[in-house]
Amino acid sequence: MSMRTKVLGLVDVMMRVPPIMVIDEILKIGMGLPTRMYPEKNEAGTSTTTVEVSTEPPSNNEAFSFITTFFGLSSGSGPDPSPPGEAGQNVIEQAIDNASKAAQSRGMLGNGFNTIMDGLAHDEAIASIISITTVKFVLCILGFASAACIFMLWTRHLVMVYMFLTSLGLTFLSYWSNVSALALMEGSPCILEDLMSMNTTRILESGGIIVSLAPHVMAQWFMGMLFAYIHLGPRFALLQKSMPMIFTSPILLAILPLSPRFVQQLPIIAGFTPIILTKITVINSSMEASRTVYNGYQYAMNFVSNFGLSALIENEWQRLNVPNVLRVFWTIRILQGAYVLVSAESEAPLEVYPTIEKLLVDGCETLTAVLGMTGVISMICHYIGRGFQWYLLTYDNDEEKSLGTVSAVLFYILALQTGLTSLSPDKRFVRLCRNLCLLVTALLHFLHNIVSPILMSLSAARNPSRKRHVRALSVCVFLILMPLSLLYYLWTQHSPSTWLLAVTAFSIEVIVKVLVSLATYGLFLLDARRQFFWEKLDDYLYYVRAFGNSVEFCFGILLFINGAWILLFESAQNATGGAIRAIMMCIHAYFNIWCEARAGWSVFMKRRSAVHKISSLPEATTAQLQAFDDVCAICYQEMYTAKITRCRHFFHGVCLRKWLYVQDRCPLCHEIMMYTEKAEDNATQGEGAGAAPADQPLRIYPRDDGNNMAAPRQSPERTASDVGEIGSTAATATTSSAAAIIGAEAAAAIAEAAVATAAGLSVTPSSSNASYITTSSAQPPPPTATSAAAVATAAASNTTHIFRMSQDQQ
């Protein structure tokens, strides 16, 4: 990215910050509605404001007095402002009594409501309150909508808006400067007389009138030139050249001996020309502005119809560069608050901790401020993930790319859920710290998701680089010590609460996940050092991961109960936060509890069924293995123990169990592998001709059965590309069924192994590695295509011994 592009991007971001600041100020005053006022505390800790925050509901008299005082409608004369409030209260009570009597006597609630309205209309104080509040609310709504529209404009339109606003601001600034200059000239000696008499002493005096007027004259000349350059009204050559003179004319004309009344009107006369140009600009641009809004609406609707609403939001999010705009806005807001604290006149020096606390509390005062803080936290989490990736010497992990986004979403949901903006300043800081603690524990989970695949790849690939092993293990040690230290500090400094219980659950869950990853890593390292096939490895991996998943599931239930307690007993005063918490609890209950329980039970039942089916198959004897003298057709490892299927094929028991997760048919000949009563009857009838003695050498030929009898015979001299194409087709079909059962990750690993096997496949009818076992050596060989497809399907049933550590497949 060139420097010019970066500068233009920064300018675009800075131009979108002022509308956000306007929205923030509107939200700060509560959209013009009566807002809750918090008491300020003095050094002794006692309340000093006249409006107190009480958990008890105020009486009607107190509420009415508060409203009239807040809007400045009280009499203000005399020490007792109660009579207006009492009068208003009497009117309200009388109206309610009349409405109640009317409803009881005539049974007409509508008449009672009209009676209340008529009674309230006679009270001037309440009518004034309603009118003032309505006007303020409408103005705030219009300002909010205008700022939002300006924020979403395209850059060229945004530049035009700022040019118009700048020209209008220059007009009022010129008027103020002229008025100030004329006020200086009012009581000073005649400047024209000094100039005519060449009184250099008075002219060049340091505090003289000439020196005081010089900055105003230069500023007016500069503002005139700038207005002539940026205004959007009609441009005439003579008018453009005379604009600096028009802006400066009140000061120049005030030097002449004119009437004081006429001199006072000079700033208005000078501002008449730019005001006319600005008015012409508004009239000429109104139609274009309406057309721009309509074109934007049409563009949005067409985009939604073609690509969807989510694509429109994502496209506009990137075009407006919202994260950077929010970060710049929040930074400016914090710098402004820091400048106010530093420039405040105070004898006591500023302390670091109270200052930071004050800035953080002000930094999450409104929803826009919380969004800005969210953007800053997102950037910090993103660079934390980048730092860990750099330390782990990996740069292709997608978890780091989503780390900042997920952290931002989590923090903002926590802020809305806990009602952060509606709390008093002292409670807001405590809640902010608690939310940051929860975010830190979530960040530890994300870091574990980064380091866990690296551990698995290092153990499975037998990576000899000790440097990478040490770095990954050191990160795991950090992920264990960090939550332990956090828990020790929190439990020693705070009393037990629902928030502390949630942090504890998240922290222990991180520790358990790291221990499970380390146990898996150690098992794979032990397997890499063994010289023989370790059949019990998958069982150990299953037990370790089942323990970790069970702990996570239990903590998920605990967090659901904890959230329900908070929703029922601690969120009564925050309706919006309670609604968001209820929605998040429903999502948590479905995805983290119900879906996980259903998936875990499905895996358990499939494993149990597979183990039961494997136990029903006969074990191969040593003589049969020696006679077979071949590798397992699934994992291509030597067989020291094997299971014999009904179709007389030999496989490792653990490999066959994994295949049974996919289907019950043989990986080679696609016949039913299990022994059933019907199969035993058929085997008894054809025992003389179809069954081979166990002690005879087993020949490996393709099987010719009813599934491929109708297929045309083909020559064995097929090319390797044809075989690979057929094998890839079969592997794809098998992979589709696998993906429906064991998940997308396992299916992807199976597809890679299948394609790799099918690409280098070379099949001959008499090959001993074709893994097709029949009992008759005189049987003619079937088509080579079927053999190739069967071998590719066998390769698709599982990965090789190196890939047995892929996650979620065990």
Side-chain angles (χ1 to χ4, degrees):
M1 184 181 296
S2 62
M3 183 59 65
R4 179 176 179 273
T5 305
K6 293 182 180 179
V7 172
L8 292 178
L10 179 61
V11 171
D12 183 75
V13 168
M14 295 299 297
M15 286 193 300
R16 298 188 188 277
V17 170
I20 301 295
M21 300 185 71
V22 172
I23 294 174
D24 181 69
E25 292 297 327
I26 293 175
L27 293 178
K28 190 181 296 184
I29 63 175
M31 300 294 293
L33 299 175
T35 56
R36 182 179 180 181
M37 300 177 65
Y38 300 103
E40 297 179 359
K41 294 183 179 181
N42 53 20
E43 296 179 358
T46 59
S47 177
T48 59
T49 56
T50 58
V51 182
E52 297 182 356
V53 178
S54 176
T55 56
E56 297 294 333
S59 62
N60 294 332
N61 191 10
E62 292 175 353
F64 186 81
S65 300
F66 164 74
I67 294 174
T68 55
T69 304
F70 179 79
F71 286 99
L73 300 175
S74 59
S75 59
S77 61
D80 186 12
S82 59
E86 292 178 358
Q89 179 64 17
N90 294 331
V91 172
I92 295 174
E93 290 179 354
Q94 186 65 34
I96 294 175
D97 292 338
N98 295 336
S100 301
K101 293 178 181 178
Q104 292 175 1
S105 60
R106 293 186 291 270
M108 300 174 61
L109 295 179
N111 189 16
F113 179 77
N114 293 331
T115 305
I116 293 177
M117 292 296 101
D118 293 338
L120 295 178
H122 292 292
D123 184 35
E124 297 180 357
I126 294 180
S128 301
I129 291 172
I130 294 175
S131 62
I132 293 174
T133 304
T134 303
V135 171
K136 290 174 63 178
F137 182 72
V138 171
L139 291 178
C140 289
I141 288 292
L142 292 177
F144 188 94
S146 301
C149 292
I150 293 175
F151 173 76
M152 298 181 64
L153 287 175
W154 292 89
T155 305
R156 61 178 183 275
H157 296 139
L158 194 62
V159 171
M160 296 175 64
V161 169
Y162 277 110
M163 291 175 63
F164 170 76
L165 294 178
T166 303
S167 61
L168 186 62
L170 288 175
T171 302
F172 289 102
L173 185 61
S174 173
Y175 174 80
W176 172 80
S177 178
N178 285 326
V179 170
S180 301
L182 294 181
L184 291 175
M185 298 172 63
E186 228 177 280
S188 62
C190 182
I191 301 176
L192 183 61
E193 182 181 349
D194 293 337
L195 293 175
M196 295 292 294
S197 62
M198 298 298 293
N199 190 353
T200 57
T201 303
R202 186 179 296 178
I203 293 176
L204 300 179
E205 187 179 359
S206 60
I209 185 63
I210 299 296
V211 177
S212 301
L213 289 179
H216 290 276
V217 173
M218 291 186 292
Q220 292 288 345
W221 190 271
F222 175 75
M223 286 188 289
M225 294 177 60
L226 185 60
F227 183 89
Y229 180 74
I230 67 172
H231 81 91
L232 302 176
R235 294 176 177 269
F236 303 101
L238 181 61
L239 184 62
Q240 292 292 105
K241 294 180 180 179
S242 60
M243 286 307 300
M245 187 61 65
I246 292 175
F247 273 69
T248 320
S249 60
I251 301 177
L252 299 179
L253 292 177
I255 299 176
L256 303 177
L258 301 175
S259 171
R261 181 176 299 178
F262 178 74
V263 171
Q264 290 180 356
Q265 303 299 324
L266 287 178
I268 300 177
I269 297 174
F272 187 74
T273 302
I275 287 293
I276 291 296
L277 293 176
T278 304
K279 184 177 181 180
I280 294 174
T281 302
V282 172
I283 295 175
N284 294 337
S285 301
S286 58
M287 187 61 66
E288 184 179 355
S290 302
R291 191 182 300 110
T292 301
V293 173
Y294 179 75
N295 292 337
Y297 172 76
Q298 291 292 332
Y299 166 80
M301 296 304 297
N302 294 333
F303 200 98
V304 170
S305 62
N306 293 329
F307 304 102
L309 181 60
S310 60
L312 174 65
I313 294 176
E314 182 179 359
N315 182 63
E316 293 300 306
W317 185 273
Q318 295 178 357
R319 179 181 69 86
L320 299 176
N321 205 355
V322 176
N324 288 332
V325 172
L326 292 175
R327 290 164 191 156
V328 173
F329 155 72
W330 193 78
T331 304
I332 294 176
R333 202 176 193 276
I334 291 299
L335 292 178
Q336 180 183 0
Y339 174 76
V340 171
L341 292 178
V342 171
S343 59
E345 296 181 0
S346 177
E347 298 179 358
L350 287 177
E351 298 181 3
V352 177
Y353 181 77
T355 303
I356 295 176
E357 179 180 349
K358 172 65 176 175
L359 294 178
L360 290 179
V361 167
D362 293 341
C364 55
E365 185 178 6
T366 60
L367 290 178
T368 50
V370 173
L371 280 173
M373 181 180 288
T374 301
V376 175
I377 290 176
S378 172
M379 182 178 62
I380 294 174
C381 293
H382 171 74
Y383 281 107
I384 289 176
R386 290 285 298 271
F388 274 90
Q389 274 203 323
W390 169 82
Y391 181 75
L392 293 171
L393 302 178
T394 177
Y395 302 98
D396 56 351
N397 197 318
D398 294 335
E399 189 71 27
E400 175 270 331
K401 298 178 182 178
S402 62
L403 181 58
T405 303
V406 175
S407 302
V409 172
L410 177 61
F411 178 80
Y412 196 72
I413 289 177
L414 286 174
L416 295 179
Q417 187 172 277
T418 56
L420 190 63
T421 57
S422 61
L423 299 175
S424 59
D426 52 346
K427 295 182 179 180
R428 190 186 308 158
F429 180 74
V430 174
R431 177 55 61 183
L432 178 63
C433 294
R434 293 181 176 182
N435 291 351
L436 290 177
C437 285
L438 289 171
L439 183 64
V440 168
T441 56
L443 184 62
L444 296 178
H445 282 268
F446 300 146
L447 295 179
H448 169 263
N449 293 339
I450 293 177
V451 73
S452 181
I454 298 175
L455 278 177
M456 299 302 102
S457 63
L458 291 176
S459 60
R462 300 182 178 92
N463 196 311
S465 176
R466 294 184 178 180
K467 181 179 180 180
R468 300 194 64 186
H469 285 268
V470 171
R471 293 195 176 200
L473 292 176
S474 61
V475 172
C476 291
V477 172
F478 168 78
L479 293 179
I480 293 176
L481 296 180
M482 179 64 185
L484 288 177
S485 303
L486 181 63
L487 289 179
Y488 175 78
Y489 172 77
L490 293 179
W491 279 97
T492 55
Q493 299 294 328
H494 301 275
S495 58
S497 61
T498 53
W499 158 77
L500 190 56
L501 186 62
V503 174
T504 304
F506 280 122
S507 301
I508 296 178
E509 189 176 351
V510 170
I511 297 173
V512 171
K513 291 171 69 173
V514 173
L515 293 178
V516 169
S517 298
L518 290 176
T520 307
Y521 167 78
L523 289 174
F524 282 127
L525 285 183
L526 291 177
D527 180 62
R529 293 180 176 274
R530 291 175 63 93
Q531 298 180 355
F532 305 104
F533 182 70
W534 191 7
E535 292 192 12
K536 291 294 184 180
L537 174 63
D538 296 301
D539 294 329
Y540 297 149
L541 290 176
Y542 176 79
Y543 298 147
V544 170
R545 290 174 178 170
F547 169 75
N549 293 334
S550 300
V551 172
E552 292 181 22
F553 180 75
C554 294
F555 277 119
I557 297 177
L558 177 62
L559 290 174
F560 180 80
I561 298 174
N562 184 66
W565 179 273
I566 297 174
L567 179 64
L568 295 176
F569 300 103
E570 298 182 10
S571 300
Q573 299 178 354
N574 185 13
T576 304
I580 296 174
R581 185 181 295 275
I583 295 174
M584 297 305 298
M585 285 180 59
C586 293
I587 296 174
H588 171 73
Y590 178 73
F591 288 101
N592 294 339
I593 297 179
W594 168 250
C595 291
E596 291 295 330
R598 185 176 57 181
W601 182 255
S602 176
V603 171
F604 172 74
M605 293 305 296
K606 288 176 183 178
R607 182 179 179 86
R608 180 182 177 185
S609 176
V611 170
H612 177 70
K613 293 175 181 179
I614 290 297
S615 62
S616 64
L617 295 178
E619 190 81 21
T621 62
T622 305
Q624 289 175 327
L625 291 175
Q626 291 177 355
F628 181 65
D629 193 20
D630 204 348
V631 297
C632 174
I634 296 178
C635 67
Y636 300 107
Q637 300 292 322
E638 295 183 5
M639 290 192 293
Y640 300 97
T641 59
K643 290 288 186 178
I644 305 176
T645 63
R646 169 178 172 267
C647 48
R648 302 295 296 172
H649 292 154
F650 287 53
F651 302 99
H652 282 133
V654 63
C655 299
L656 200 58
R657 185 177 63 194
K658 292 180 182 180
W659 175 258
L660 288 175
Y661 294 160
V662 182
Q663 60 180 343
D664 291 338
R665 295 185 175 271
C666 177
L668 298 180
C669 62
H670 297 283
E671 286 192 1
I672 299 296
M673 290 186 294
M674 299 298 105
Y675 286 91
T676 60
E677 295 181 0
K678 183 177 179 180
E680 291 176 356
D681 294 340
N682 295 336
T684 304
Q685 293 176 3
E687 184 178 358
D695 55 348
Q696 291 184 3
L698 299 177
R699 299 294 181 181
I700 303 172
Y701 291 111
R703 185 177 179 84
D704 191 1
D705 52 8
N707 295 331
N708 54 20
M709 290 178 64
R713 300 286 180 178
Q714 298 182 6
S715 173
E717 289 82 8
R718 292 180 63 100
T719 62
S721 60
D722 295 336
V723 176
E725 182 179 358
I726 298 172
S728 300
T729 305
T732 305
T734 308
T735 306
S736 300
S737 63
I741 298 177
I742 64 177
E745 295 184 2
I750 289 174
E752 292 177 2
V755 173
T757 307
L761 197 61
S762 178
V763 181
T764 57
S766 61
S767 173
S768 62
N769 291 329
S771 298
Y772 273 59
I773 306 174
T774 61
T775 57
S776 176
S777 61
Q779 189 176 4
T784 309
T786 306
S787 176
V791 174
T793 305
S797 64
N798 201 347
T799 58
T800 60
H801 185 60
I802 294 178
F803 288 97
R804 286 186 296 109
M805 53 9 109
S806 61
Q807 293 184 350
D808 297 335
Q809 189 175 352
Q810 308 302 330

